[in-house]
Amino acid sequence: GENVEQHPSTLSVQEGDSAVIKCTYSDSASNYFPWYKQELGKGPQLIIDIRSNVGEKKDQRIAVTLNKTAKHFSLHITETQPEDSAVYFCAASLNSGGSNYKLTFGKGTLLTVNP
Amino acid sequence: ETGVTQSPTHLIKTRGQQVTLRCSSQSGHNTVSWYQQALGQGPQFIFQYYREEENGRGNFPPRFSGLQFPNYSSELNVNALELDDSALYLCASSRNNEKAFFGQGTRLTVV
C-alpha cells in the first residue's frame, strides 16, 4: 500500500520568513495530494490540494509543487504569520471516479512562527 | 469551518465496553470516511461509506464497524474497547470522492 514520509517533523521560523515542508510517496499510481492544517483541539482543515496532471498550484501565500518522477511534493508558505502556527499534514490518494478514496497521511510537521 | 459535525466531542469508556460515534456530513456530500488519529500521528483510514455501503476499509479489525444512513450521516461503532483505541476519531465527508472535509473529531479515552 501507499506510504507517505514527511519532513521535517518540527519547523521553527521567524515571522515573515518562508516555510517549506516536504513529502515523498511510494505508490506511483497516486494522483491526488492534499495538504491539511490542524490546530490544537480541531480537525484537519484542507488548505490546498494538487492533482498529478499539474506541477504547481498557488493560493495567495501558499503553494504546492509536485514532482511525479521523483514522487515528491512540497508545501511552501511565504510571509509567514503567527496564525500559521499549527501541525501540517500531507496526504496522498488514488482518486479515480467512484473508487475508494483512501487518504494516506504523513506524520505531520509542527510549524511554529515566532513573532 | 466545514459543515461536518461530530458528536460527542469527548467520551470516556471502560475497557471492554462498546461505543458509537456520530457524524453529520456537509450538505450535498454523499461520502463519509472515518479516520483514527493517535496522539502525535497522522490520521489512519478506518473505512469509507458511499451511498450507504462500505466502500473500502483500512487495516482495522472487525470490531470496528459502521453505518451510513439515507441522509448520508454516519455512525462508527467500536466493540470490546481496548486501551489502544484511545484516540481522536475523525469523520470526513466529500461528494463523489472529491475534496474531503473533516469534522472537529471525537476524543475517545478508554480506561
Side-chain angles (χ1 to χ4, degrees), chain A residues 36 38 49 51 95 99 101, chain B residues 35 37 48 97-100:
Chain A
Y36 288 86
Q38 188 173 27
D49 57 2
R51 299 187 184 277
N95 185 0
S99 70
Y101 188 73
Chain B
Y35 290 80
Q37 186 177 24
Q48 179 186 88
N97 286 330
E98 292 297 321
K99 300 174 189 283

Side-chain angles (χ1 to χ4, degrees), chain A residues 53-81:
Chain A
N53 59 347
V54 175
E56 183 173 356
K57 184 177 178 180
K58 189 174 181 180
D59 182 4
Q60 299 183 1
R61 298 186 297 108
I62 294 174
V64 58
T65 58
L66 171 65
N67 182 329
K68 285 190 298 182
T69 303
K71 291 188 279 188
H72 289 173
F73 59 114
S74 300
L75 177 71
H76 304 253
I77 306 174
T78 58
E79 301 172 20
T80 54
Q81 302 167 3

